[in-house]
Amino acid sequence: SAVISQKPSRDICQRGTSLTIQCQVDSQVTMMFWYRQQPGQSLTLIATANQGSEATYESGFVIDKFPISRPNLTFSTLTVSNMSPEDSSIYLCSVEVVAGDTQYFGPGTRLTVL
Amino acid sequence: AQKVTQAQTEISVVEKEDVTLDCVYETRDTTYYLFWYKQPPSGELVFLIRRNSFDEQNEISGRYSWNFQKSTSSFNFTITASQVVDSAVYFCALSSNSWGKLQFGAGTQVVVTP
């Protein structure tokens, strides 16, 4: 497994602003992912964070709204841009140490947009 | 298309009762992986089990047990002698490729009262 941390753990933001969420892993991992969990809902994959190249986005999610970086094998960021109240969710980072292995999740970032 | 159905939205039990969570999946792939995760009120997602499509053996881990039946496309989860600490949302998930995209069910809220 891997130890995953996320910063911030929670935040309250104003409409129209942006927030960058960091995901740090204690060891090198092959795959990193970002998920969104809207209030009372299940998890939805936003994108796969690719090291050294552009992230791969799922249907319904675009780079302009959710830019992602992954500069190395232990770190990734997700930015939620031009936020609206509909972006209020828990954002979770997950990793696979080895591709195809079990996904482990970070503690999540609880975002509230006013 | 992949789909995971958790028909039970919420299950309430009294401590020491057994509780079974249903999970039915759909996939056209012959190789796939099934998972159960626990999400306590704190919000983090805790990995419980991973099972591949070629391994239909049931598994027991302490008070937890899982029943995988390919014939009915089900992967059910039983908590024996439930405890208050088992109160959480439990998610069943499916992955049918090596690139880690997890398709989550809607989740089942388990409430265990003393």
Side-chain angles (χ1 to χ4, degrees):
Chain A
S1 63
V3 177
I4 307 165
S5 60
Q6 284 186 232
K7 289 182 181 180
S9 58
R10 61 177 63 231
D11 207 342
I12 301 174
C13 300
Q14 296 298 318
R15 180 195 296 262
T17 62
S18 298
L19 176 72
T20 296
I21 302 168
Q22 298 179 3
C23 177
Q24 178 74 55
V25 193
D26 68 339
S27 59
Q28 293 185 346
V29 296
T30 305
M31 309 291 289
M32 295 184 79
F33 308 89
W34 287 98
Y35 287 80
R36 180 177 73 181
Q37 186 179 22
Q38 294 176 299
Q41 304 297 313
S42 186
L43 284 81
T44 302
L45 180 65
I46 298 172
T48 302
N50 299 311
Q51 194 257 332
S53 64
E54 193 171 286
T56 304
Y57 290 85
E58 296 299 306
S59 176
F61 298 96
V62 295
I63 188 171
D64 290 346
K65 177 67 176 177
F66 297 102
I68 288 170
S69 77
R70 189 181 172 190
N72 56 50
L73 294 177
T74 64
F75 185 79
S76 178
T77 66
L78 167 73
T79 299
V80 186
S81 303
N82 188 24
M83 289 184 286
S84 67
E86 292 70 34
D87 294 319
S88 297
S89 299
I90 300 175
Y91 292 87
L92 297 109
C93 165
S94 72
V95 306
E96 288 181 0
V97 178
V98 174
D101 202 354
T102 298
Q103 266 186 51
Y104 296 96
F105 286 79
T109 296
R110 290 179 183 268
L111 171 61
T112 301
V113 184
L114 302 178
Chain B
Q2 297 183 107
K3 186 177 180 181
V4 177
T5 301
Q6 295 180 255
Q8 304 150 307
T9 304
E10 180 172 327
I11 301 175
S12 294
V13 296
V14 177
E15 213 170 14
K16 298 185 181 178
E17 289 183 341
D18 298 347
V19 56
T20 295
L21 310 180
D22 298 332
C23 174
V24 176
Y25 62 92
E26 296 176 27
T27 180
R28 294 179 181 174
D29 296 303
T30 55
T31 301
Y32 52 89
Y33 299 87
L34 294 162
F35 304 80
W36 277 95
Y37 288 88
K38 173 182 179 181
Q39 188 175 43
S42 54
E44 79 273 23
L45 218 61
V46 178
F47 165 73
L48 296 178
I49 190 171
R50 175 180 187 252
R51 179 53 54 105
N52 74 56
S53 53
F54 298 106
D55 182 3
E56 286 194 73
Q57 284 189 338
N58 292 330
E59 182 156 339
I60 298 174
S61 177
R63 295 185 297 106
Y64 295 168
S65 62
W66 290 269
N67 182 6
F68 178 27
Q69 292 194 341
K70 286 180 74 171
S71 60
T72 56
S73 296
S74 65
F75 186 43
N76 297 336
F77 172 34
T78 297
I79 303 172
T80 302
S82 60
Q83 300 175 0
V84 173
V85 294
D86 296 325
S87 297
V89 179
Y90 292 84
F91 290 98
C92 180
L94 167 70
S95 174
S96 60
N97 58 52
S98 62
W99 298 108
K101 179 179 177 180
L102 285 176
Q103 179 68 49
F104 281 86
T108 298
Q109 172 83 57
V110 173
V111 178
V112 182
T113 54

